[in-house]
Amino acid sequence: QVQLVESGGGLVQAGVSLRLSCAASGRTFSRNVMGWFRQAPGKGREFVAAINWSSSITDYADSVKGRFTISRDNAKNTMYLQMNSLKAEDTAVYYCAAEGSERTWLTLGSPGRYDYWGQGTQVTVSS
């Protein structure tokens, strides 16, 4: 059974940093795109960042560019999201996602590109 498990969320003050992790099990994703999405209260799920299998290509939402960094360790089947200079508007449940089969006709930011989703981890930033 394939599982994606997020960790690292919490309640923090604005301006500090958090590092989220997404540990995959049940299959390897070393040749697949992985990404982070988030959903704030009362809003739809939105793209945050994505990374290709070799880490040579990354993509970010405009709202997090320059503050967030996505990375992965294929040997550990794990993906990370380093979040710096957090703002109150970053408050959301953060979900990791992984591509099962290649869908290169979809952008990295398209939810339809991803087959597997984690349960989410809450990030709350107080101002």
Side-chain angles (χ1 to χ4, degrees), residues 94-107:
Y94 283 72
Y95 299 90
C96 69
E99 181 187 58
S101 55
E102 281 192 79
R103 297 188 180 91
T104 55
W105 60 93
L106 296 175
T107 66

PDB file of all heavy atoms in Angstrom, residues 94-107:
ATOM      1  N   TYR A  94      -0.915  21.554   4.692  1.00  0.00           N
ATOM      2  CA  TYR A  94       0.017  21.298   3.604  1.00  0.00           C
ATOM      3  C   TYR A  94      -0.008  19.811   3.254  1.00  0.00           C
ATOM      4  O   TYR A  94       0.120  18.954   4.138  1.00  0.00           O
ATOM      5  CB  TYR A  94       1.419  21.732   4.009  1.00  0.00           C
ATOM      6  CG  TYR A  94       1.590  23.229   3.947  1.00  0.00           C
ATOM      7  CD1 TYR A  94       0.975  24.053   4.885  1.00  0.00           C
ATOM      8  CD2 TYR A  94       2.347  23.830   2.943  1.00  0.00           C
ATOM      9  CE1 TYR A  94       1.112  25.434   4.820  1.00  0.00           C
ATOM     10  CE2 TYR A  94       2.489  25.203   2.871  1.00  0.00           C
ATOM     11  CZ  TYR A  94       1.869  25.997   3.806  1.00  0.00           C
ATOM     12  OH  TYR A  94       1.997  27.373   3.746  1.00  0.00           O
ATOM     13  N   TYR A  95      -0.168  19.547   1.964  1.00  0.00           N
ATOM     14  CA  TYR A  95      -0.249  18.182   1.469  1.00  0.00           C
ATOM     15  C   TYR A  95       0.921  17.888   0.533  1.00  0.00           C
ATOM     16  O   TYR A  95       1.257  18.719  -0.311  1.00  0.00           O
ATOM     17  CB  TYR A  95      -1.535  17.967   0.682  1.00  0.00           C
ATOM     18  CG  TYR A  95      -2.801  18.177   1.465  1.00  0.00           C
ATOM     19  CD1 TYR A  95      -3.408  19.429   1.533  1.00  0.00           C
ATOM     20  CD2 TYR A  95      -3.399  17.115   2.140  1.00  0.00           C
ATOM     21  CE1 TYR A  95      -4.579  19.624   2.254  1.00  0.00           C
ATOM     22  CE2 TYR A  95      -4.572  17.294   2.858  1.00  0.00           C
ATOM     23  CZ  TYR A  95      -5.149  18.550   2.911  1.00  0.00           C
ATOM     24  OH  TYR A  95      -6.303  18.730   3.625  1.00  0.00           O
ATOM     25  N   CYS A  96       1.499  16.717   0.658  1.00  0.00           N
ATOM     26  CA  CYS A  96       2.466  16.303  -0.345  1.00  0.00           C
ATOM     27  C   CYS A  96       1.758  15.392  -1.346  1.00  0.00           C
ATOM     28  O   CYS A  96       0.754  14.756  -1.034  1.00  0.00           O
ATOM     29  CB  CYS A  96       3.676  15.617   0.265  1.00  0.00           C
ATOM     30  SG  CYS A  96       3.399  14.002   0.976  1.00  0.00           S
ATOM     31  N   ALA A  97       2.292  15.370  -2.542  1.00  0.00           N
ATOM     32  CA  ALA A  97       1.690  14.600  -3.620  1.00  0.00           C
ATOM     33  C   ALA A  97       2.782  13.994  -4.484  1.00  0.00           C
ATOM     34  O   ALA A  97       3.878  14.558  -4.596  1.00  0.00           O
ATOM     35  CB  ALA A  97       0.788  15.492  -4.457  1.00  0.00           C
ATOM     36  N   ALA A  98       2.475  12.870  -5.102  1.00  0.00           N
ATOM     37  CA  ALA A  98       3.455  12.185  -5.951  1.00  0.00           C
ATOM     38  C   ALA A  98       2.786  11.680  -7.221  1.00  0.00           C
ATOM     39  O   ALA A  98       1.642  11.198  -7.194  1.00  0.00           O
ATOM     40  CB  ALA A  98       4.100  11.034  -5.198  1.00  0.00           C
ATOM     41  N   GLU A  99       3.504  11.811  -8.287  1.00  0.00           N
ATOM     42  CA  GLU A  99       3.040  11.325  -9.587  1.00  0.00           C
ATOM     43  C   GLU A  99       3.217   9.820  -9.635  1.00  0.00           C
ATOM     44  O   GLU A  99       4.267   9.300  -9.260  1.00  0.00           O
ATOM     45  CB  GLU A  99       3.881  12.012 -10.658  1.00  0.00           C
ATOM     46  CG  GLU A  99       3.574  11.676 -12.086  1.00  0.00           C
ATOM     47  CD  GLU A  99       4.596  12.307 -13.013  1.00  0.00           C
ATOM     48  OE1 GLU A  99       5.803  12.015 -12.842  1.00  0.00           O
ATOM     49  OE2 GLU A  99       4.210  13.085 -13.906  1.00  0.00           O
ATOM     50  N   GLY A 100       2.180   9.098 -10.130  1.00  0.00           N
ATOM     51  CA  GLY A 100       2.318   7.659 -10.245  1.00  0.00           C
ATOM     52  C   GLY A 100       2.827   7.265 -11.614  1.00  0.00           C
ATOM     53  O   GLY A 100       3.788   6.522 -11.753  1.00  0.00           O
ATOM     54  N   SER A 101       2.166   7.761 -12.624  1.00  0.00           N
ATOM     55  CA  SER A 101       2.599   7.545 -14.005  1.00  0.00           C
ATOM     56  C   SER A 101       2.787   8.913 -14.647  1.00  0.00           C
ATOM     57  O   SER A 101       2.110   9.865 -14.284  1.00  0.00           O
ATOM     58  CB  SER A 101       1.557   6.736 -14.775  1.00  0.00           C
ATOM     59  OG  SER A 101       0.288   7.375 -14.689  1.00  0.00           O
ATOM     60  N   GLU A 102       3.710   8.983 -15.582  1.00  0.00           N
ATOM     61  CA  GLU A 102       4.034  10.275 -16.173  1.00  0.00           C
ATOM     62  C   GLU A 102       2.857  10.895 -16.905  1.00  0.00           C
ATOM     63  O   GLU A 102       2.173  10.232 -17.677  1.00  0.00           O
ATOM     64  CB  GLU A 102       5.187  10.100 -17.164  1.00  0.00           C
ATOM     65  CG  GLU A 102       6.544  10.016 -16.516  1.00  0.00           C
ATOM     66  CD  GLU A 102       7.657  10.143 -17.516  1.00  0.00           C
ATOM     67  OE1 GLU A 102       7.943  11.295 -17.910  1.00  0.00           O
ATOM     68  OE2 GLU A 102       8.201   9.115 -17.924  1.00  0.00           O
ATOM     69  N   ARG A 103       2.648  12.180 -16.616  1.00  0.00           N
ATOM     70  CA  ARG A 103       1.629  12.963 -17.322  1.00  0.00           C
ATOM     71  C   ARG A 103       2.272  14.277 -17.720  1.00  0.00           C
ATOM     72  O   ARG A 103       1.926  15.347 -17.208  1.00  0.00           O
ATOM     73  CB  ARG A 103       0.410  13.198 -16.432  1.00  0.00           C
ATOM     74  CG  ARG A 103      -0.328  11.948 -16.012  1.00  0.00           C
ATOM     75  CD  ARG A 103      -1.635  12.308 -15.306  1.00  0.00           C
ATOM     76  NE  ARG A 103      -2.367  11.123 -14.893  1.00  0.00           N
ATOM     77  CZ  ARG A 103      -2.242  10.540 -13.716  1.00  0.00           C
ATOM     78  NH1 ARG A 103      -1.404  11.027 -12.828  1.00  0.00           N
ATOM     79  NH2 ARG A 103      -2.943   9.469 -13.418  1.00  0.00           N
ATOM     80  N   THR A 104       3.195  14.193 -18.633  1.00  0.00           N
ATOM     81  CA  THR A 104       3.990  15.368 -18.975  1.00  0.00           C
ATOM     82  C   THR A 104       3.191  16.444 -19.695  1.00  0.00           C
ATOM     83  O   THR A 104       3.671  17.568 -19.836  1.00  0.00           O
ATOM     84  CB  THR A 104       5.177  14.952 -19.846  1.00  0.00           C
ATOM     85  OG1 THR A 104       4.684  14.245 -20.987  1.00  0.00           O
ATOM     86  CG2 THR A 104       6.124  14.050 -19.066  1.00  0.00           C
ATOM     87  N   TRP A 105       1.965  16.135 -20.147  1.00  0.00           N
ATOM     88  CA  TRP A 105       1.148  17.151 -20.780  1.00  0.00           C
ATOM     89  C   TRP A 105       0.496  18.081 -19.757  1.00  0.00           C
ATOM     90  O   TRP A 105      -0.110  19.080 -20.110  1.00  0.00           O
ATOM     91  CB  TRP A 105       0.064  16.511 -21.665  1.00  0.00           C
ATOM     92  CG  TRP A 105      -0.881  15.611 -20.922  1.00  0.00           C
ATOM     93  CD1 TRP A 105      -2.090  15.952 -20.362  1.00  0.00           C
ATOM     94  CD2 TRP A 105      -0.688  14.218 -20.635  1.00  0.00           C
ATOM     95  NE1 TRP A 105      -2.654  14.863 -19.754  1.00  0.00           N
ATOM     96  CE2 TRP A 105      -1.830  13.781 -19.910  1.00  0.00           C
ATOM     97  CE3 TRP A 105       0.313  13.300 -20.928  1.00  0.00           C
ATOM     98  CZ2 TRP A 105      -1.974  12.467 -19.486  1.00  0.00           C
ATOM     99  CZ3 TRP A 105       0.166  11.992 -20.500  1.00  0.00           C
ATOM    100  CH2 TRP A 105      -0.955  11.596 -19.787  1.00  0.00           C
ATOM    101  N   LEU A 106       0.616  17.730 -18.471  1.00  0.00           N
ATOM    102  CA  LEU A 106       0.114  18.578 -17.394  1.00  0.00           C
ATOM    103  C   LEU A 106       1.274  19.307 -16.734  1.00  0.00           C
ATOM    104  O   LEU A 106       2.371  18.771 -16.607  1.00  0.00           O
ATOM    105  CB  LEU A 106      -0.625  17.735 -16.351  1.00  0.00           C
ATOM    106  CG  LEU A 106      -1.895  17.029 -16.822  1.00  0.00           C
ATOM    107  CD1 LEU A 106      -2.435  16.132 -15.708  1.00  0.00           C
ATOM    108  CD2 LEU A 106      -2.949  18.030 -17.259  1.00  0.00           C
ATOM    109  N   THR A 107       1.022  20.534 -16.294  1.00  0.00           N
ATOM    110  CA  THR A 107       2.078  21.297 -15.635  1.00  0.00           C
ATOM    111  C   THR A 107       2.380  20.718 -14.253  1.00  0.00           C
ATOM    112  O   THR A 107       1.564  19.978 -13.683  1.00  0.00           O
ATOM    113  CB  THR A 107       1.673  22.766 -15.485  1.00  0.00           C
ATOM    114  OG1 THR A 107       0.557  22.840 -14.579  1.00  0.00           O
ATOM    115  CG2 THR A 107       1.271  23.380 -16.822  1.00  0.00           C
TER     116      THR A 107
END
